[in-house]
């Protein structure tokens, strides 16, 4: 605090020094001003002080024009004053926005108070127009008040040890009244019975709610909430550690309710996806076999598709899961899906094709121990002997075109032998799968060459037409990519004659 006291004494000393300097100035302090820049350097009379009495009849009466101030003139406060550098004389006039009424009232008040004389004057810059009367003997005088206010203002700006001024502390005190402490907030939450729950707590409550509920709607809603939570890696592991697979999933997929089955299968797929610990737990719980059975025998397409989704999430990137799939005849079951001639099974068949394609690509990209594990599955041998080659290529002819959309009718109308518009997503998936199977199914795919060449030509035309469309929705890139992929497949199949 010593430095604060020293700073306070310095401020008081400076104020007293300024006041003493003003009191000793008995002459009119005038700032010299160039005629062209008198507005910037004009001064205003503020107060008077002289030992010799002045004649009231010689009070200077100003106008809006500059007038010369004679040596015996008495100038009252509130005027513009300048030194004319050309004549060397002092001049004064009314302020720009002053009509002179206040000045005349000051003269009248002096006369009514029977003042016989008027004191001399001091002058200050108009940039600080506050009056500072000189009467330092009276502690209640305006000058004493000015000094007190100056000292108080200086004290306000002195910073404490925490770097804050007194004004800062006042603002902080006001702000503190607007906010409550952590203890106060916690007390309010306790009174409202509000607590912050972790994901683990929520999982536990949802599982208990599922077990005690006997409503299919409530159980379906609980399964959807659980599915949202197990997307998070750690939540899925906690779900398994809490017995979620046996207590929730296994019982739910055996339910008679279709909605509960689908929600449970979606929950399982989300939990096992790219999560090795949960995948191992699911395999050990016998869920691979359960999923194969649902895909093969469930009569509801929605349930079968959800089961295939869960099965795909379980075995992708997981060689041990793929081994269990092959050992339990999973590939044969998936192959039989193509024997169904119902068009409603087309989405399920496409999901099977996508899964097969992913397994083959994973095998081609594997290295080291993972590659050795996948080679022991002999997937290529099962593709060649299990009827997969004609099953996949048949999808190309069965689902490549859709007559409901006539965006590309012009070219197709001239070729009555072909349908109107290809289903691009189906073509993409089937061509990709055929490309990964071509080394095994080259001879079986040979019969599909006419259709493949026609598709390549069609997509060339579509890519050419798309470049003239006003809206660039990525169609040209899609069509060009499909055309190139089909042409590569045609070239690989055509190598049969060279073998």
């Amino acid at each position: 605090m010593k430095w604060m006291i020293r700073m306070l004494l310095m401020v008081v000393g400076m104020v007293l020094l300024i006041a003493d300097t003003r009191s000793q100035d008995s002459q009119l302090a005038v700032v010299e001003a160039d005629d062209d820049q008198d507005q910037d350097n004009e001064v205003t009379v503020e107060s008077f002080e002289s030992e010799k009495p002045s004649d009231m009849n010689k009070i200077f009466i100003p106008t809006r024009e500059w007038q010369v101030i004679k040596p015996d003139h008495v100038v009252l406060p509130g005027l513009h004053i300048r030194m004319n550098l050309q004549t060397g004389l002092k001049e004064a006039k009314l302020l720009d926005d002053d009509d002179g009424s206040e000045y005349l009232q000051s003269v009248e008040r002096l006369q009514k108070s029977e003042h016989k004389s008027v004191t001399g004057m001091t002058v200050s810059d108009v940039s600080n127009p506050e009056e500072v009367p000189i009467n330092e003997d009276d502690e209640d005088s305006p000058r004493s008040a000015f000094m007190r206010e100056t000292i108080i203002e200086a004290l306000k700006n002195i910073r404490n040890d925490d770097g804050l001024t007194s004004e800062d502390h006042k603002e902080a005190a006001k702000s503190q009244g607007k906010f409550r402490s952590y203890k106060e907030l916690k007390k309010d939450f306790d009174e409202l019975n509000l607590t912050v729950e972790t994901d683990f707590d929520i999982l536990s409550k949802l599982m208990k709610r599922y077990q005690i509920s006997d409503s299919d709607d409530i159980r379906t809603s609980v399964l959807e909430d659980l599915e949202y939570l197990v997307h998070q890696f750690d939540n899925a592991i906690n779900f398994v550690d809490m017995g979620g697979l046996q207590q929730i999933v296994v019982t739910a997929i055996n339910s008679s309710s279709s909605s509960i089955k689908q929600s449970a299968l979606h929950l399982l797929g989300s939990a096992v996806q790219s999560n090795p610990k949960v995948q191992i737990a699911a395999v050990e719980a016998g869920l691979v076999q359960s999923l194969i059975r649902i895909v093969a025998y469930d009569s509801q397409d929605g349930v079968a598709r959800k089961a295939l989704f869960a099965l795909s999430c379980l075995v992708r990137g997981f060689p041990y899961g793929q081994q269990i799939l092959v050992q339990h005849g999973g590939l044969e079951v998936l192959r039989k899906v193509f024997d169904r001639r119902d068009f409603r099974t087309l989405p399920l068949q496409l999901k099977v094709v996508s899964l097969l394609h992913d397994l083959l690509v994973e095998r081609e990209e594997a290295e080291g121990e993972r590659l050795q594990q996948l080679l022991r599955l002999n997937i290529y041998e099962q593709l060649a002997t299990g009827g997969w080659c004609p099953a996949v290529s048949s999808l190309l002819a069965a689902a490549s075109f859709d007559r409901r959309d006539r965006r590309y009718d012009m070219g197709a109308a001239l070729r009555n032998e072909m349908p109107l518009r290809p289903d691009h997503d189906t073509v993409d998936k089937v061509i990709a799968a055929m490309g990964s199977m071509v080394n095994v199914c080259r001879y079986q795919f040979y019969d599909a060459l006419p259709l493949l060449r026609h598709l390549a030509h069609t997509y060339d035309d579509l890519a050419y037409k798309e470049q003239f469309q006003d809206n660039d929705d990525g169609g040209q890139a899609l069509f060009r990519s499909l055309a190139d992929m089909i042409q590569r497949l045609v070239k690989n199949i055509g190598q049969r004659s060279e073998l």
Side-chain angles (χ1 to χ4, degrees), residues 42-67:
E42 292 170 0
V43 292
T44 304
V45 176
E46 296 292 346
S47 60
F48 297 89
E49 183 179 7
S50 176
E51 296 179 357
K52 297 181 180 181
S54 302
D55 190 351
M56 289 290 295
N57 296 326
K58 294 185 178 181
I59 293 178
F60 179 79
I61 304 301
T63 64
R64 293 185 180 278
E65 303 296 332
W66 290 107
Q67 299 183 71

Side-chain angles (χ1 to χ4, degrees), residues 142-247:
R143 176 175 181 177
S144 299
F146 170 76
M147 293 175 62
R148 286 197 300 273
E149 292 177 359
T150 304
I151 294 173
I152 292 173
E153 188 66 26
L155 289 174
K156 290 180 180 179
N157 294 326
I158 295 177
R159 297 185 180 273
N160 295 327
D161 294 338
D162 55 4
L164 301 176
T165 65
S166 59
E167 292 297 324
D168 295 335
H169 281 289
K170 289 181 180 180
E171 292 296 329
K174 292 180 181 178
S175 301
Q176 187 175 5
K178 300 179 182 178
F179 299 97
R180 292 175 293 173
S181 65
Y182 172 77
K183 293 182 179 179
E184 293 174 335
L185 292 174
K186 187 174 184 300
K187 181 180 179 182
D188 292 342
F189 277 112
D190 293 338
E191 292 176 354
L192 294 173
N193 294 323
L194 295 178
T195 57
V196 179
E197 292 183 320
T198 63
D199 288 350
F200 185 89
D201 297 331
I202 298 174
L203 284 171
S204 178
K205 288 185 176 181
L206 288 173
M207 292 175 61
K208 291 179 181 178
R209 185 182 180 189
Y210 179 87
Q211 293 171 344
I212 65 177
S213 176
D214 56 358
S215 170
D216 289 348
D217 293 338
I218 294 178
R219 287 189 170 185
T220 300
S221 177
V222 170
L223 291 172
E224 292 174 352
D225 293 338
L226 287 171
E227 189 274 331
Y228 174 80
L229 288 172
V230 299
H231 274 96
Q232 207 276 336
F233 190 88
D234 293 335
N235 286 342
I237 296 176
N238 290 333
F239 178 72
V240 171
D241 293 340
M242 296 164 66
L245 291 180
Q246 291 78 12
Q247 299 175 18

Side-chain angles (χ1 to χ4, degrees), residues 401 415 417-419 449-459:
F401 296 90
R415 297 187 296 270
E417 73 280 3
M418 294 300 297
L449 280 177
L451 179 57
L452 290 172
R453 292 192 179 100
H454 177 78
L455 282 175
H457 180 68
T458 300
Y459 279 111

Side-chain angles (χ1 to χ4, degrees), residues 273 312-313 315-318 322 350-366 370 374 379 429 432-434 436-437:
Q273 191 167 22
S312 299
C313 295
V315 300
R316 280 191 177 105
F318 186 39
Q322 296 176 28
L350 291 176
K351 288 184 178 295
V352 173
V353 169
S354 297
L355 173 59
L356 181 63
H357 169 67
D358 292 342
L359 296 180
L360 294 176
V361 171
E362 181 180 340
R363 183 177 184 274
E364 293 175 359
E365 297 178 351
R370 177 182 290 269
L374 295 177
I379 292 182
K429 291 180 179 179
M434 292 178 67
S436 60
M437 299 166 61

